């Protein structure tokens, strides 16, 4: 049986200490020299272990000061049964604002709006055939000042073109409230979630290393039997907790 590499053992030990609360958010880890003495290894071995934990989002480096446990908490992303509920829209909150209200953190959103030709994938998800023009809303979302989510919505021009959906601030309840005012009463949402590595542009915008995993969510909003929006969402996997609740009947 192959012998476990020393850096893996070091990473396992530190990971366990962090998750068990022996190192709390904001506290420093042992120095590289201390870890070298403790484990009897070279500096590169310790560095490999710390690089692994950084890729997992469990530690951060502070130049000249060492390695620390990040001072942040996971963002709880509630399920569609509440965050996308009509009651939330009627209360003037979009999905991200609902998450902020539930989690007690301050939200911030930067928006870019354009019109584009739909890719084959988006056209298929929206059921577009002759029409290919879409309104694109690209958002960078922050929690307490830190980027935690990228979201890009695609809506048919025939639905959203020339409406409040093309405004940076779409008003209380967000784009779903505006769609319903336009007569597209939303009937259900469909989400697919998968883990992957970020694209280079995504890593840059999220401020994470390329190898750090993300959760990629594709949500389709339906009005009756018509899909009216595709929303591609990307989130650092270690920053988000997906919470699902449903009836047991």
């Amino acid at each position: 049986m192959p012998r476990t590499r020393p850096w893996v053992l070091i990473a396992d030990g530190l990971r366990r200490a962090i998750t068990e609360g022996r190192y709390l958010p904001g506290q420093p880890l042992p120095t590289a020299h201390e870890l070298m003495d403790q484990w009897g290894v070279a500096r590169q071995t310790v560095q490999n272990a710390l690089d692994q934990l950084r890729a997992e989002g469990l530690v951060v480096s502070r130049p000249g000061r060492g390695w620390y446990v990040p001072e942040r908490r996971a963002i709880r992303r509630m399920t569609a049964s509440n965050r996308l509920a009509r009651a939330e829209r009627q209360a003037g909150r979009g999905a991200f604002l609902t998450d902020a209200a539930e989690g007690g953190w301050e939200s911030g959103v930067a928006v870019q709006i354009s019109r584009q030709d739909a890719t084959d994938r988006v056209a298929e998800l929206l059921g577009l055939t002759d029409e290919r023009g879409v309104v694109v809303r690209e958002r960078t979302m922050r929690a307490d000042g830190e980027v935690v989510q990228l979201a890009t919505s695609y809506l048919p021009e025939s639905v959203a073109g020339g409406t409040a959906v093309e405004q940076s601030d779409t008003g209380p309840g967000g784009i779903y409230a505006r769609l319903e005012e336009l007569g597209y009463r939303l009937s259900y949402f469909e989400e697919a979630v998968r883990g992957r590595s970020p694209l280079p542009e995504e890593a840059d915008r999220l401020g994470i290393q390329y190898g750090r995993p993300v959760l990629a969510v594709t949500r389709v909003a339906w009005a009756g039997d018509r899909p009216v929006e595709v929303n591609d969402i990307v989130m650092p996997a270690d920053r988000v907790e997906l919470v699902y609740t449903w009836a047991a009947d």
Side-chain angles (χ1 to χ4, degrees), residues 2 4 14 41 67 79 82 84 124 126 128 147 150 167 202 218-219 228 247:
T4 304
L14 290 173
V41 296
W67 294 85
T79 61
N82 43 24
L84 296 176
E124 181 179 358
L126 286 174
L128 302 179
V147 178
L150 309 176
Q167 301 300 313
E202 293 169 342
T218 296
R219 180 169 71 232
V228 291

Side-chain angles (χ1 to χ4, degrees), residues 159-180:
V159 170
T163 73
V165 174
E166 288 195 287
Q167 301 300 313
S168 295
D169 183 356
T170 57
I175 64 173
Y176 293 150
R178 304 292 80 77
L179 287 171
E180 294 203 317

Side-chain angles (χ1 to χ4, degrees), residues 42-144:
R43 175 179 290 275
Q44 187 58 52
T45 301
V46 169
Q47 188 64 47
N48 290 343
L50 293 171
D51 285 344
Q52 174 61 36
L53 295 178
R54 177 169 55 185
E56 296 173 18
L58 290 176
V59 301
V60 293
S61 174
R62 297 181 181 175
R65 298 177 58 188
W67 294 85
Y68 287 75
V69 179
E71 295 184 83
R72 62 189 183 191
R73 51 184 170 158
I75 302 302
R76 288 172 64 87
R77 183 179 183 274
M78 309 305 289
T79 61
S81 61
N82 43 24
R83 70 194 301 271
L84 296 176
R86 184 164 288 108
E88 290 297 313
R89 296 194 290 279
Q90 293 173 344
R93 291 189 291 267
F96 193 63
L97 291 182
T98 298
D99 289 341
E102 292 276 353
W105 39 268
E106 183 178 350
S107 65
V109 182
V111 185
Q112 290 186 327
I113 302 165
S114 62
R115 293 194 187 189
Q116 302 174 14
D117 288 334
T119 64
D120 290 344
R121 169 182 167 273
V122 169
E124 181 179 358
L125 289 171
L126 286 174
L128 302 179
T129 52
D130 297 334
E131 172 193 8
R132 294 297 290 254
V134 289
V135 172
V136 182
R137 294 181 56 85
E138 188 174 2
R139 284 98 71 204
T140 301
M141 300 173 168
R142 289 177 168 82
D144 291 337

